[in-house]
Amino acid sequence: MFVDTKSQRRASARAAPARRFRLGESRGAMGLLFMLPAAAVLLLFLAYPLGLGVWLGMTDTRVGRAGQYIGFENYEMLWTDSVFWTSVFNTLLYTVAASIAKFALGLWLALLLNRHLPFKAFLRAIVLLPWIVPTALSAIAFWWIYDSQFSIISWSLTRLGLIEHNINFLGDPTWARASVIIANVWRGIPFVAITLLAGLQTIPPSLYEAATIDGATPWQRFRYVTFPMLTPIIAVVMTFSVLFTFTDFQLIYVLTRGGPLNATHLMATLSFQRAIPGGNLGEGAAIAVTMIPFLLSAILFSYFGLQRRRWQHGGND
Amino acid sequence: MASVDIRQVRKAFGTFEVIHGIDVDIGDEEFVVLVGPSGCGKSTLLRMIAGLEPISGGEISIGGRVVNMVPPKERDIAMVFQNYALYPHMTVFDNMAFSLKLRHAERSVIEQRVRQAADILDLTKYLDRYPRQLSGGQRQRVAMGRAIVRDPQVFLFDEPLSNLDAKLRVQMRTEIKALHQRLRTTSIYVTHDQIEAMTMADKIVVMHDGHVEQVGSPLELYDRPVNLFVAGFIGSPAMNFFEGRLRRDGDRVWVEGKGDLLFPAPPGVRGNEGQSVVYGIRPGHLRLASDAEQGLPAEVEVVEPTGDNTLVFCRVGDAIACAATTERFPLRPAERLRLVPQVESGHVFDAATGMRL
């Protein structure tokens, strides 16, 4: 009996491969086939450049000259490079300060836009403007706003009698850091606000009515209903916001090019400066590679943040 | 517990008035059902009582206190919503405890009240679950538990059963009624389902287009509808209507319909000879008889057996009439028979005003 079932099993196992090769009937093989074009694109345009970057970081390649493998020499050099460490500090400051500001202001804006306002659709469209305008253009506008001689802010404050001399927005290290952060916040708010607004609109109004009858004040309604129900979408938005901010390049490049005295150099701008104008492709690639651990930790944070909470499990509505 | 008095209440959205001066008295411990087709203003009225909609005119008082300007949380009411409105990120326990927590009730009090309500509603096993992990009926019970925990003066129900399947709806209907008999809390219940209204209410308020059509006990409304709207709305299957003219023949009153149909009107019907009227008769008050007997000549169109009842839809003159019978006749479409109305169960309405004669 035992032997019989065993041999039967073997027989069916032998029959199986023949079936598997009939492509049209196999979900697995068809799936693989349909995935190939997308996988090819990903490999060619994402995996290959990433691998090339990591490889370049371990060579002494210069513009116009193929390099040699030098191991971790570039990284050893960066370890003692104070400009590099300044750029790490700047990047962290820029990311943390801008992300917190974008979150707070974006959430506030989303809550305002979620009310019944006249011209609601129009206002919501307007809010997207900073995000629609090409970064380079808005950066140039900010460049004018921050200009040492013609700044409209300095001009207004002078007229109001609050200051006597123009503020050197982009020339003073502290002012420059604050200025680029403000420009980044201005640009990033729409993304946060519109996404959180979408999240707010999924919260049924009857929950607020139930909470009102239960005796919740507006603050308690936010604290106990809105905020907890918004946490999943906050995790998504803030992950993306942090990634975008950490890898920012355009805004800094147009406004300050990393100056004054490297006060606004981010890892991305420093990497570009060392690699292209500076010609040290290997070193620039190494700086870019050092961003990976930071980005990975942000992704891990989102991975845990995005996991479905217990209350989201079960049920089908 | 308290009475609720609604005096000349109006509601307008902008210049568009949806409730045109409503008066309803709801007694202490009463179970009142507001019923009407969708858009009749019943939910709006309930929301005004709850304080979720501002009142455009008139007065609402709860327990003798005018509450027009009182915020919802101070009206001492609890509301059960159509979609339950449970907080999805809170357990059943926390959902039920929420209002007490906001009032800074003591932990032991919260625990005791929630457990007590859970016990009444058979929810003790589910206190640690989240709403998503519950079935529709259980969620509905949690929504009621949340209301019970607060021990309010008035319960408000906004179509609480319309998201449940038919079987569960019948079961929950009974549960809500039993709950009311136990707690005796004044309850106002909104539904568009006249069967829910009939089965649950001490008193039914029939609304239509922002007006109250009739207020009364379920059987009053069923037996003596004041107008055509109530007659057609209450009762399922709906009342049959035939247009005709009033004829008086000594003590007997008839309604003469098209094609020489004669409907026997109950004695005591007012109205003048020859007046345009509508004759109404409920399906259960039409007896099926053989073609040889006296009665309205009819031709069977559709037969719907429901088990307890059999509904027979027949062509009578140029109208379709429905007769309900508990007997099981082997009827076939196109078969000819007679419908015999119970004389005292007929209703006659003025064709112009729709009012009962």
Side-chain angles (χ1 to χ4, degrees):
Chain A
M1 196 57 187
F2 175 67
V3 179
D4 269 357
T5 48
K6 210 173 170 186
S7 63
Q8 272 170 11
R9 226 181 288 148
R10 229 181 276 135
S12 65
R14 244 179 278 125
R19 233 180 297 138
R20 210 176 293 145
F21 280 110
R22 249 184 277 153
L23 205 67
E25 284 174 26
S26 162
R27 289 180 59 86
M30 289 298 278
L32 215 64
L33 193 71
F34 287 140
M35 240 168 54
L36 272 178
V41 169
L42 284 179
L43 283 173
L44 192 62
F45 294 108
L46 283 175
Y48 170 68
L50 185 69
L52 186 64
V54 174
W55 165 249
L56 274 177
M58 293 197 274
T59 65
D60 59 356
T61 309
R62 299 181 62 88
V63 172
R65 178 172 70 81
Q68 301 216 318
Y69 177 75
I70 55 167
F72 288 91
E73 226 170 87
N74 282 328
Y75 297 95
E76 283 161 23
M77 216 163 66
L78 287 176
W79 188 257
T80 54
D81 181 346
S82 67
V83 176
F84 169 71
W85 286 112
T86 308
S87 79
V88 172
F89 169 78
N90 288 340
T91 310
L92 291 176
L93 177 76
Y94 185 73
T95 306
V96 171
S99 295
I100 290 175
K102 275 189 273 195
F103 172 65
L105 294 172
L107 180 59
W108 182 54
L109 192 59
L111 289 169
L112 287 180
L113 288 173
N114 196 32
R115 297 191 183 181
H116 290 289
L117 299 165
F119 313 112
K120 196 162 64 178
F122 180 69
L123 282 175
R124 286 178 185 173
I126 290 272
V127 166
L128 273 175
L129 269 182
W131 209 54
I132 296 166
V133 178
T135 315
L137 280 185
S138 52
I140 288 171
F142 269 101
W143 193 39
W144 265 110
I145 291 174
Y146 292 146
D147 190 273
S148 57
Q149 282 186 34
F150 306 109
S151 163
I152 187 163
I153 303 175
S154 292
W155 182 84
S156 309
L157 291 176
T158 317
R159 283 297 168 102
L160 287 170
L162 295 173
I163 53 170
E164 285 175 10
H165 304 290
N166 277 5
I167 300 170
N168 194 1
F169 284 107
L170 300 178
D172 173 80
T174 312
W175 275 113
R177 280 181 181 145
S179 302
V180 293
I181 287 173
I182 288 170
N184 178 275
V185 169
W186 178 84
R187 213 189 119 63
I189 282 179
F191 172 70
V192 177
I194 292 294
T195 319
L196 290 183
L197 178 63
L200 282 175
Q201 288 178 337
T202 63
I203 303 176
S206 62
L207 284 189
Y208 294 115
E209 292 177 345
T212 307
I213 290 178
D214 275 343
T217 59
W219 163 248
Q220 285 169 326
R221 288 202 288 276
F222 175 77
R223 165 77 186 73
Y224 294 112
V225 180
T226 314
F227 194 75
M229 294 202 63
L230 216 51
T231 43
I233 199 130
I234 288 175
V236 181
V237 174
M238 288 323 292
T239 302
F240 278 101
S241 177
V242 164
L243 292 181
F244 291 155
T245 316
F246 196 89
T247 55
D248 198 12
F249 172 84
Q250 292 186 63
L251 203 66
I252 301 285
Y253 197 73
V254 175
L255 278 180
T256 64
R257 304 225 167 188
L261 297 173
N262 301 320
T264 58
H265 245 318
L266 303 184
M267 290 161 86
T269 52
L270 186 68
S271 159
F272 174 78
Q273 201 205 27
R274 296 267 166 100
I276 310 298
N280 287 317
L281 282 176
E283 196 186 332
I287 295 173
V289 169
T290 55
M291 292 168 80
I292 292 176
F294 293 101
L295 296 175
L296 271 185
S297 56
I299 290 170
L300 276 184
F301 175 80
S302 80
Y303 174 77
F304 289 110
L306 287 178
Q307 278 184 337
R308 279 157 69 90
R309 281 143 190 82
R310 223 183 116 211
W311 57 267
Q312 293 174 293
H313 282 282
N316 41 18
D317 48 350
Chain B
M1 273 155 264
S3 60
V4 177
D5 294 318
I6 297 164
R7 291 267 159 277
Q8 277 303 308
V9 164
R10 291 171 185 280
K11 176 68 189 178
F13 293 104
T15 54
F16 186 67
E17 196 172 79
V18 290
I19 291 183
H20 319 282
I22 278 184
D23 287 287
V24 184
D25 287 333
I26 294 163
D28 193 9
E29 299 192 0
E30 236 176 356
F31 195 110
V32 172
V33 173
L34 306 179
V35 68
S38 49
C40 71
K42 56 193 189 299
S43 278
T44 308
L45 181 60
L46 191 79
R47 292 167 59 81
M48 286 197 282
I49 299 170
L52 297 173
E53 291 284 352
I55 300 163
S56 309
E59 244 177 43
I60 293 180
S61 39
I62 298 175
R65 176 176 67 137
V66 176
V67 294
N68 283 33
M69 303 309 285
V70 178
K73 64 171 176 173
E74 285 161 31
R75 294 189 183 196
D76 204 3
I77 45 118
M79 186 155 168
V80 177
F81 292 84
Q82 179 174 358
N83 61 359
Y84 323 128
L86 300 178
Y87 310 118
H89 55 288
M90 295 185 199
T91 59
V92 169
F93 184 96
D94 289 334
N95 262 286
M96 285 161 70
F98 188 58
S99 64
L100 298 176
K101 278 185 186 156
L102 292 179
R103 279 192 247 165
H104 303 292
E106 272 183 53
R107 239 188 140 74
S108 58
V109 176
I110 295 178
E111 182 85 11
Q112 183 225 331
R113 289 243 216 131
V114 171
R115 298 240 167 240
Q116 202 177 353
D119 192 43
I120 293 175
L121 294 162
D122 204 13
L123 284 170
T124 312
K125 277 188 291 186
Y126 307 109
L127 284 176
D128 292 332
R129 298 231 190 140
Y130 288 95
R132 268 176 182 269
Q133 299 165 315
L134 303 177
S135 70
Q138 288 163 343
R139 287 182 209 181
Q140 185 57 63
R141 282 212 287 274
V142 177
M144 286 197 291
R146 195 164 63 175
I148 293 173
V149 163
R150 304 183 51 194
D151 189 23
Q153 293 203 27
V154 183
F155 281 139
L156 305 175
F157 296 90
D158 189 4
E159 309 218 14
L161 304 185
S162 43
N163 283 7
L164 300 179
D165 63 54
K167 196 172 173 188
L168 206 53
R169 206 177 303 160
V170 174
Q171 187 193 331
M172 291 302 292
R173 204 159 79 188
T174 319
E175 277 187 34
I176 293 179
K177 195 168 180 178
L179 193 69
H180 176 253
Q181 281 163 4
R182 179 168 170 177
L183 302 173
R184 310 291 329 158
T185 307
T186 311
S187 301
I188 306 175
Y189 186 107
V190 161
T191 180
H192 62 267
D193 180 350
Q194 54 91 22
I195 297 198
E196 257 173 45
M198 293 288 287
T199 49
M200 300 174 78
D202 295 325
K203 186 156 87 185
I204 296 179
V205 178
V206 182
M207 290 179 66
H208 182 217
D209 280 347
H211 294 282
V212 170
E213 297 285 346
Q214 189 173 3
V215 180
S217 73
L219 292 181
E220 267 170 45
L221 263 62
Y222 188 81
D223 293 338
R224 290 189 63 80
V226 295
N227 58 31
L228 268 174
F229 177 79
V230 178
F233 191 76
I234 298 289
S236 172
M239 190 185 277
N240 299 301
F241 292 115
F242 303 93
E243 290 173 2
R245 291 186 180 280
L246 208 62
R247 295 274 173 256
R248 292 190 176 277
D249 177 15
D251 283 350
R252 305 198 59 179
V253 192
W254 300 84
V255 173
E256 189 187 326
K258 288 174 198 157
D260 294 331
L261 290 172
L262 270 185
F263 304 96
V269 165
R270 291 161 298 158
N272 306 318
E273 170 79 18
Q275 185 177 346
S276 260
V277 293
V278 174
Y279 175 82
I281 181 92
R282 294 202 182 276
H285 299 146
L286 282 174
R287 185 170 61 83
L288 300 180
S290 75
D291 205 20
E293 286 185 61
Q294 287 281 328
L296 308 164
E299 188 183 311
V300 177
E301 294 231 320
V302 176
V303 180
E304 290 181 356
T306 65
D308 293 342
N309 269 323
T310 302
L311 303 181
V312 184
F313 293 87
C314 311
R315 177 160 293 280
V316 178
D318 57 0
I320 296 285
C322 173
T325 172
T326 51
E327 288 169 63
R328 297 189 176 181
F329 296 112
L331 291 169
R332 306 222 145 265
E335 202 168 321
R336 302 202 59 85
L337 46 75
R338 299 270 168 169
L339 297 177
V340 186
Q342 274 180 28
V343 178
E344 63 280 9
S345 302
H347 307 263
V348 181
F349 304 94
D350 181 22
T353 64
M355 298 309 285
R356 183 183 192 85
L357 290 173

mmCIF file of all heavy atoms in Angstrom, chain A residues 223-241:
data_model
loop_
_atom_site.group_PDB
_atom_site.id
_atom_site.type_symbol
_atom_site.label_atom_id
_atom_site.label_comp_id
_atom_site.label_asym_id
_atom_site.label_seq_id
_atom_site.Cartn_x
_atom_site.Cartn_y
_atom_site.Cartn_z
ATOM 1 N N ARG A 223 -7.193 65.148 18.079
ATOM 2 C CA ARG A 223 -6.267 64.299 18.815
ATOM 3 C C ARG A 223 -6.699 62.824 18.793
ATOM 4 O O ARG A 223 -5.871 61.935 18.651
ATOM 5 C CB ARG A 223 -6.185 64.835 20.243
ATOM 6 C CG ARG A 223 -5.577 63.938 21.282
ATOM 7 C CD ARG A 223 -4.075 63.907 21.173
ATOM 8 N NE ARG A 223 -3.516 62.927 22.099
ATOM 9 C CZ ARG A 223 -3.594 61.619 21.934
ATOM 10 N NH1 ARG A 223 -4.189 61.126 20.881
ATOM 11 N NH2 ARG A 223 -3.062 60.794 22.807
ATOM 12 N N TYR A 224 -8.013 62.575 18.937
ATOM 13 C CA TYR A 224 -8.469 61.194 19.083
ATOM 14 C C TYR A 224 -9.075 60.597 17.817
ATOM 15 O O TYR A 224 -9.228 59.401 17.711
ATOM 16 C CB TYR A 224 -9.496 61.083 20.217
ATOM 17 C CG TYR A 224 -8.923 61.382 21.568
ATOM 18 C CD1 TYR A 224 -9.300 62.522 22.264
ATOM 19 C CD2 TYR A 224 -7.974 60.535 22.143
ATOM 20 C CE1 TYR A 224 -8.745 62.811 23.511
ATOM 21 C CE2 TYR A 224 -7.428 60.813 23.376
ATOM 22 C CZ TYR A 224 -7.814 61.951 24.058
ATOM 23 O OH TYR A 224 -7.263 62.222 25.274
ATOM 24 N N VAL A 225 -9.470 61.434 16.865
ATOM 25 C CA VAL A 225 -10.067 60.887 15.634
ATOM 26 C C VAL A 225 -9.159 61.158 14.437
ATOM 27 O O VAL A 225 -8.646 60.235 13.809
ATOM 28 C CB VAL A 225 -11.474 61.461 15.379
ATOM 29 C CG1 VAL A 225 -12.057 60.879 14.093
ATOM 30 C CG2 VAL A 225 -12.391 61.167 16.548
ATOM 31 N N THR A 226 -8.936 62.437 14.116
ATOM 32 C CA THR A 226 -8.204 62.772 12.899
ATOM 33 C C THR A 226 -6.797 62.188 12.904
ATOM 34 O O THR A 226 -6.413 61.465 11.984
ATOM 35 C CB THR A 226 -8.110 64.297 12.742
ATOM 36 O OG1 THR A 226 -9.377 64.864 12.993
ATOM 37 C CG2 THR A 226 -7.648 64.656 11.356
ATOM 38 N N PHE A 227 -6.034 62.511 13.958
ATOM 39 C CA PHE A 227 -4.617 62.150 13.934
ATOM 40 C C PHE A 227 -4.391 60.640 13.868
ATOM 41 O O PHE A 227 -3.652 60.168 13.004
ATOM 42 C CB PHE A 227 -3.880 62.789 15.105
ATOM 43 C CG PHE A 227 -2.396 62.732 14.965
ATOM 44 C CD1 PHE A 227 -1.750 63.573 14.073
ATOM 45 C CD2 PHE A 227 -1.652 61.797 15.664
ATOM 46 C CE1 PHE A 227 -0.384 63.500 13.895
ATOM 47 C CE2 PHE A 227 -0.285 61.715 15.491
ATOM 48 C CZ PHE A 227 0.352 62.577 14.608
ATOM 49 N N PRO A 228 -5.031 59.859 14.748
ATOM 50 C CA PRO A 228 -4.784 58.413 14.644
ATOM 51 C C PRO A 228 -5.198 57.817 13.306
ATOM 52 O O PRO A 228 -4.549 56.915 12.799
ATOM 53 C CB PRO A 228 -5.618 57.811 15.781
ATOM 54 C CG PRO A 228 -6.300 58.911 16.458
ATOM 55 C CD PRO A 228 -5.903 60.205 15.879
ATOM 56 N N MET A 229 -6.276 58.360 12.725
ATOM 57 C CA MET A 229 -6.711 57.790 11.449
ATOM 58 C C MET A 229 -5.824 58.229 10.304
ATOM 59 O O MET A 229 -5.835 57.641 9.228
ATOM 60 C CB MET A 229 -8.161 58.161 11.183
ATOM 61 C CG MET A 229 -9.077 57.523 12.194
ATOM 62 S SD MET A 229 -10.743 57.389 11.624
ATOM 63 C CE MET A 229 -10.561 56.298 10.244
ATOM 64 N N LEU A 230 -5.052 59.299 10.536
ATOM 65 C CA LEU A 230 -4.194 59.826 9.480
ATOM 66 C C LEU A 230 -2.783 59.229 9.546
ATOM 67 O O LEU A 230 -2.003 59.384 8.612
ATOM 68 C CB LEU A 230 -4.118 61.353 9.650
ATOM 69 C CG LEU A 230 -4.067 62.226 8.423
ATOM 70 C CD1 LEU A 230 -5.179 61.879 7.465
ATOM 71 C CD2 LEU A 230 -4.138 63.683 8.814
ATOM 72 N N THR A 231 -2.453 58.539 10.639
ATOM 73 C CA THR A 231 -1.075 58.062 10.798
ATOM 74 C C THR A 231 -0.564 57.229 9.623
ATOM 75 O O THR A 231 0.579 57.412 9.220
ATOM 76 C CB THR A 231 -0.869 57.280 12.113
ATOM 77 O OG1 THR A 231 -1.974 56.406 12.289
ATOM 78 C CG2 THR A 231 -0.731 58.205 13.294
ATOM 79 N N PRO A 232 -1.371 56.327 9.037
ATOM 80 C CA PRO A 232 -0.807 55.555 7.926
ATOM 81 C C PRO A 232 -0.358 56.454 6.776
ATOM 82 O O PRO A 232 0.732 56.273 6.222
ATOM 83 C CB PRO A 232 -1.968 54.646 7.489
ATOM 84 C CG PRO A 232 -2.881 54.595 8.658
ATOM 85 C CD PRO A 232 -2.748 55.911 9.352
ATOM 86 N N ILE A 233 -1.176 57.459 6.449
ATOM 87 C CA ILE A 233 -0.808 58.299 5.310
ATOM 88 C C ILE A 233 0.320 59.249 5.692
ATOM 89 O O ILE A 233 1.172 59.584 4.863
ATOM 90 C CB ILE A 233 -2.043 59.045 4.761
ATOM 91 C CG1 ILE A 233 -1.762 59.514 3.336
ATOM 92 C CG2 ILE A 233 -2.433 60.220 5.578
ATOM 93 C CD1 ILE A 233 -2.831 59.150 2.397
ATOM 94 N N ILE A 234 0.386 59.637 6.969
ATOM 95 C CA ILE A 234 1.497 60.486 7.404
ATOM 96 C C ILE A 234 2.811 59.733 7.214
ATOM 97 O O ILE A 234 3.807 60.306 6.766
ATOM 98 C CB ILE A 234 1.309 60.903 8.886
ATOM 99 C CG1 ILE A 234 0.169 61.917 9.002
ATOM 100 C CG2 ILE A 234 2.593 61.501 9.446
ATOM 101 C CD1 ILE A 234 -0.185 62.295 10.426
ATOM 102 N N ALA A 235 2.809 58.439 7.530
ATOM 103 C CA ALA A 235 4.034 57.655 7.372
ATOM 104 C C ALA A 235 4.489 57.659 5.919
ATOM 105 O O ALA A 235 5.673 57.850 5.626
ATOM 106 C CB ALA A 235 3.795 56.221 7.854
ATOM 107 N N VAL A 236 3.556 57.507 4.984
ATOM 108 C CA VAL A 236 3.915 57.497 3.560
ATOM 109 C C VAL A 236 4.455 58.866 3.146
ATOM 110 O O VAL A 236 5.540 58.981 2.561
ATOM 111 C CB VAL A 236 2.676 57.178 2.684
ATOM 112 C CG1 VAL A 236 3.072 57.155 1.219
ATOM 113 C CG2 VAL A 236 2.067 55.868 3.092
ATOM 114 N N VAL A 237 3.700 59.903 3.462
ATOM 115 C CA VAL A 237 4.072 61.248 3.017
ATOM 116 C C VAL A 237 5.422 61.652 3.579
ATOM 117 O O VAL A 237 6.271 62.170 2.857
ATOM 118 C CB VAL A 237 3.002 62.265 3.473
ATOM 119 C CG1 VAL A 237 3.451 63.662 3.149
ATOM 120 C CG2 VAL A 237 1.695 61.974 2.818
ATOM 121 N N MET A 238 5.623 61.397 4.856
ATOM 122 C CA MET A 238 6.860 61.869 5.459
ATOM 123 C C MET A 238 8.060 61.074 4.959
ATOM 124 O O MET A 238 9.138 61.629 4.821
ATOM 125 C CB MET A 238 6.764 61.843 6.988
ATOM 126 C CG MET A 238 5.842 62.921 7.545
ATOM 127 S SD MET A 238 5.905 64.503 6.657
ATOM 128 C CE MET A 238 7.555 65.065 7.055
ATOM 129 N N THR A 239 7.872 59.798 4.657
ATOM 130 C CA THR A 239 8.977 59.049 4.077
ATOM 131 C C THR A 239 9.403 59.678 2.761
ATOM 132 O O THR A 239 10.583 59.964 2.532
ATOM 133 C CB THR A 239 8.561 57.588 3.828
ATOM 134 O OG1 THR A 239 8.158 57.040 5.057
ATOM 135 C CG2 THR A 239 9.708 56.800 3.250
ATOM 136 N N PHE A 240 8.420 59.934 1.908
ATOM 137 C CA PHE A 240 8.759 60.530 0.616
ATOM 138 C C PHE A 240 9.349 61.922 0.800
ATOM 139 O O PHE A 240 10.323 62.288 0.144
ATOM 140 C CB PHE A 240 7.527 60.579 -0.287
ATOM 141 C CG PHE A 240 7.276 59.282 -0.963
ATOM 142 C CD1 PHE A 240 6.309 58.411 -0.507
ATOM 143 C CD2 PHE A 240 8.052 58.901 -2.052
ATOM 144 C CE1 PHE A 240 6.092 57.193 -1.117
ATOM 145 C CE2 PHE A 240 7.850 57.683 -2.674
ATOM 146 C CZ PHE A 240 6.863 56.827 -2.199
ATOM 147 N N SER A 241 8.772 62.677 1.703
ATOM 148 C CA SER A 241 9.255 64.028 1.919
ATOM 149 C C SER A 241 10.710 64.004 2.381
ATOM 150 O O SER A 241 11.551 64.766 1.894
ATOM 151 C CB SER A 241 8.362 64.720 2.957
ATOM 152 O OG SER A 241 8.844 65.993 3.221
#
